[in-house]
């Protein structure tokens, strides 16, 4: 049983996709504690970091759900840079660094 757990740990750790660097995640986590930091600076940095643009994200969504996206927003969640997406029947979270599906929930 112990060997099974030791063998499966790397799959659990790497299953969720690529994460942001430590300096980038600290930048976004500390941004709320700095009241003078402008919101457009955060958005500009997020757009510099993402490797999957909005059109690619929309094509991934179309491939996964066969539906058009109604709402698409680039944001952060912990160490992940993500797209929060809403379609007619699903709510999805897609990793903006490598395009992997993190979460898919029916509405």
């Amino acid at each position: 049983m112990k060997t099974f757990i030791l063998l499966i740990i790397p799959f659990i750790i790497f299953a969720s996709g690529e994460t942001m660097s430590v300096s980038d995640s600290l930048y976004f986590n500390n941004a709320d504690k700095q009241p003078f930091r402008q919101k457009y600076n955060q958005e500009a940095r997020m757009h510099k970091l993402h490797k999957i643009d909005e059109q690619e994200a929309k094509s991934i969504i179309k491939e996964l759900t066969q539906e058009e996206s109604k709402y698409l927003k680039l944001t952060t969640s912990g160490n992940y840079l993500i797209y929060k997406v809403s379609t007619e029947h699903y709510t999805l979270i897609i990793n903006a660094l490598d395009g992997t599906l993190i979460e898919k929930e029916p509405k």
Side-chain angles (χ1 to χ4, degrees):
M1 184 66 178
K2 290 181 184 178
T3 57
F4 176 72
I5 292 172
L6 291 174
L7 290 173
I8 199 163
I9 287 175
F11 293 107
I12 294 170
I13 291 172
F14 297 113
S16 58
E18 190 176 340
T19 61
M20 291 187 288
S21 68
V22 174
S23 63
D24 291 328
S25 62
L26 287 174
Y27 174 84
F28 291 114
N29 289 338
N30 292 331
D32 295 336
K33 298 172 187 152
Q34 299 174 2
F36 298 112
R37 186 169 294 218
Q38 304 262 341
K39 186 175 181 177
Y40 67 86
N41 289 339
Q42 294 174 3
E43 292 174 359
R45 189 158 180 176
M46 281 191 281
H47 284 286
K48 281 183 185 178
L49 289 175
H50 73 76
K51 296 176 186 170
I52 305 295
D53 65 356
E54 293 178 356
Q55 294 301 323
E56 289 176 291
K58 288 179 181 181
S59 67
I60 291 169
I61 295 158
K62 181 80 170 171
E63 187 176 301
L64 292 172
T65 63
Q66 286 73 37
E67 297 178 4
E68 295 293 326
S69 61
K70 291 184 176 181
Y71 171 79
L72 182 88
K73 181 179 180 185
L74 181 64
T75 186
T76 60
S77 175
N79 290 336
Y80 296 100
L81 186 62
I82 60 170
Y83 282 110
K84 287 186 178 181
V85 183
S86 179
T87 65
E88 187 174 340
H89 296 103
Y90 296 100
T91 302
L92 300 105
I93 297 177
I94 295 176
N95 190 333
L97 297 175
D98 60 5
T100 57
L101 178 68
I102 296 175
E103 185 176 322
K104 179 180 176 182
E105 292 182 1
K107 285 188 177 180

